[in-house]
Amino acid sequence: ESRLRTARYIGELTKFRLAPPIVSLRCLQRCLDDFTGANVDIACSLLESCGRYLYRLPHTNSKLSNLMETMMRLSKAKRLDERSQALINTAMYTVKPPASGPKKEAKEYTPLEGYLRYLLMVSLQPTESSISFVAKQLLRFPWSDPSRQCGALTCKIMLKACRVGRYSSIHAVANVAAKLRRQKPEVCVRLLDSVLEELQWSLEHPTFKDQQRTLTVARLLGEMYGASLASGQLVLQQLYQLINFGHEIPDALREASAKVPSTETQDGSSPVFNSASGVSHPIMEDEEVDEQNLETKEENHETHPIAVSIHSKYDPRVPSVLDPPNSVFRIKLVCTLLEVASKSLITRNSMPKVGAFLAAFQRYLFTKSVLPTEVEFSLLDTFDIIDSEWRRVLKDQKKRTPNEVDETSGFPRYRTWLEAHNATVANEEADAGIEARARARLEAGAGNGEVGGAEVNTVASSTYN
């Protein structure tokens, strides 16, 4: 060990030019004269400490190259053990690393695009002063020149800044787009369209490598809603799209479901439906799962058509290749979007719509075979955020109507798949009733308009005659 420390010390002295190079070369030559035992370790230590330096010096390059060739010949002739051979190879690669492939040429950008990249990917910080500065600089771009395509270029770099840059910069990018909304609405429209197209593409082509990118886009949509660049109706539609896409109820299933008599529960109150994954109730935090209960009896299993509501367009029990029961990526997307948008989304007027989605989302969760630990924790955190916002809205509502609102109750949580399903079907039936009444009023108004138009034409023709 002392000889190794001495060899490393000599190598460091050589690198700092406190000892002439001939000292290290002579030490290496003496180790090669008896290339066995500890001399192998000492020679490798010398090469690792000052070998690269001596190899780059013009007057010592040839001498060191000869010594290295001698070392390689001795290592092959003496048939050293694997440890010594590994040390020699490491020392050789340290002195003379293998030739790398062709270097990737740096992409050249136009001055306009280069400055735009600097503003959005380097200079932009999540502070009000930085956001205002970047927005003012963007307004000075040549927007009147159609050949520059400033709107498309700005939208492209904004998305790249969110995907490639810092995760905290997403909020700043959304605020920059909000400051450009009045003078340059093209940027907001292009950015929102790109975000929605990106989310739809990820649902149609689910791949593991694009998951982090898609989560970033989902967070950007939530930040854009917080900056008043997207409507609450659009966010709810996107949330429903995340859990319903690929689970459309086919016509054959509707026909088969209509032929099956709906079975009833023991109390005869509601029909019995089965979860696709066999999950009938959630597992509580302190509850232990019995392994014997997890065993499925395939011999007694009979396949029956599942019963669906006539008002339902989607059902998570419908199998889909795009969203199998063991896939939880859509749950991550919903949690990310709700976590960002819940503070502005949950209001007094939108609580029924948000409650209807949460019921459908909980029904969707029951169809999953298993939830990983990180997804379960993220889901619980999201529910806590929604619950706190829900209680805040109820507390504000209680000040206006103190006898009608219970502020202690959060959003409805369902313990079984059947409860969540029945709540979702009830909401769908209520929406179908509202649409039917609106259609009836529209048709009645159109009929009255036709009658009124006919009377006007009759009066006009009689007057003319």
Side-chain angles (χ1 to χ4, degrees), residues 248-258 305-308 315 317-319:
E248 296 83 1
I249 299 177
D251 296 335
L253 180 58
R254 292 184 184 277
E255 297 176 359
S257 177
I306 58 177
V308 295
D315 196 309
R317 295 172 295 175
V318 177

Side-chain angles (χ1 to χ4, degrees), residues 385-456:
I385 294 174
I386 296 174
D387 199 58
S388 61
E389 295 296 330
W390 198 280
R391 293 173 188 271
R392 178 184 60 81
V393 174
L394 291 179
K395 185 176 181 181
D396 295 340
Q397 188 176 356
K398 185 179 180 181
K399 295 179 181 178
R400 303 177 183 178
T401 56
N403 298 327
E404 298 179 1
V405 179
D406 183 13
E407 63 176 346
T408 59
S409 61
F411 72 93
R413 301 196 185 190
Y414 304 99
R415 296 182 56 85
T416 63
W417 182 90
L418 181 60
E419 294 179 2
H421 178 77
N422 289 336
T424 304
V425 171
N427 293 326
E428 292 173 349
E429 291 177 353
D431 294 339
I434 294 174
E435 292 179 0
R437 289 191 294 270
R439 189 182 302 108
R441 287 195 300 268
L442 183 61
E443 292 176 354
N448 294 334
E450 292 177 358
V451 173
E455 293 177 354
V456 170

Side-chain angles (χ1 to χ4, degrees), residues 100-391:
S100 58
K103 294 184 178 180
K104 185 179 181 180
E105 297 181 359
K107 188 176 181 180
E108 296 182 0
Y109 303 103
T110 61
L112 182 65
E113 185 176 355
Y115 183 60
L116 184 59
R117 283 176 171 268
Y118 168 75
L119 287 177
L120 295 175
M121 302 179 68
V122 179
S123 177
L124 183 60
Q125 300 292 333
T127 58
E128 185 63 28
S129 59
S130 177
I131 293 171
S132 300
F133 172 75
V134 172
K136 291 179 181 178
Q137 294 299 316
L138 291 179
L139 289 175
R140 297 178 179 178
F141 279 29
W143 296 91
S144 58
D145 189 359
S147 62
R148 298 297 185 92
Q149 297 182 352
C150 294
L153 187 60
T154 303
C155 176
K156 173 185 173 183
I157 304 303
M158 280 184 172
L159 288 175
K160 188 175 289 293
C162 296
R163 293 193 295 254
V164 183
R166 303 173 301 275
Y167 194 69
S168 59
S169 64
I170 300 176
H171 176 71
V173 170
N175 287 335
V176 169
K179 289 185 176 296
L180 298 176
R181 176 179 52 185
R182 179 172 298 179
Q183 290 84 358
K184 305 298 177 185
E186 175 190 1
V187 177
C188 304
V189 175
R190 285 180 177 272
L191 186 60
L192 187 59
D193 288 345
S194 300
V195 167
L196 296 178
E197 289 178 2
E198 188 87 14
L199 289 174
Q200 183 63 28
W201 188 90
S202 65
L203 295 178
E204 296 174 356
H205 306 84
T207 55
F208 179 76
K209 65 177 183 179
D210 294 332
Q211 289 188 0
Q212 188 61 38
R213 172 177 176 174
T214 310
L215 288 173
T216 303
V217 175
R219 184 175 181 85
L220 178 59
L221 178 59
E223 295 291 352
M224 292 181 68
Y225 171 72
S228 301
L229 297 178
S231 62
Q233 183 180 2
L234 177 63
V235 174
L236 285 174
Q237 289 178 356
Q238 189 60 44
L239 288 171
Y240 275 110
Q241 181 75 356
L242 292 177
I243 64 174
N244 290 334
F245 184 77
H247 297 286
E248 296 83 1
I249 299 177
D251 296 335
L253 180 58
R254 292 184 184 277
E255 297 176 359
S257 177
K259 297 177 182 179
V260 177
S262 59
T263 58
E264 297 182 351
T265 56
Q266 295 179 358
D267 56 355
S269 57
S270 59
V272 176
F273 301 98
N274 294 323
S275 171
S277 62
V279 179
S280 59
H281 62 88
I283 300 175
M284 305 305 294
E285 184 176 357
D286 299 331
E287 183 180 353
E288 296 182 358
V289 182
D290 190 0
E291 296 182 357
Q292 297 179 357
N293 297 333
L294 298 178
E295 298 179 358
T296 58
K297 299 180 180 180
E298 299 182 355
E299 61 275 9
N300 297 330
H301 178 72
E302 297 181 1
T303 304
H304 296 287
I306 58 177
V308 295
S309 174
I310 58 175
H311 302 288
S312 299
K313 297 180 180 179
Y314 305 94
D315 196 309
R317 295 172 295 175
V318 177
S320 175
V321 180
L322 302 177
D323 187 29
N326 58 350
S327 176
V328 296
F329 176 60
R330 296 192 183 187
I331 300 177
K332 295 181 182 179
L333 288 176
V334 173
C335 290
T336 302
L337 186 53
L338 283 177
E339 182 181 355
V340 181
S342 60
K343 187 174 182 180
S344 304
L345 186 63
I346 302 176
T347 59
R348 181 183 179 183
N349 297 328
S350 64
M351 283 180 65
K353 296 181 179 180
V354 177
F357 168 74
L358 292 176
F361 182 49
Q362 293 180 64
R363 181 184 69 167
Y364 175 79
L365 292 176
F366 279 116
T367 62
K368 295 301 177 181
S369 57
V370 64
L371 292 181
T373 305
E374 66 275 8
V375 177
E376 185 177 355
F377 287 159
S378 176
L379 190 63
L380 292 176
D381 293 341
T382 304
F383 280 178
D384 289 342
I385 294 174
I386 296 174
D387 199 58
S388 61
E389 295 296 330
W390 198 280
R391 293 173 188 271

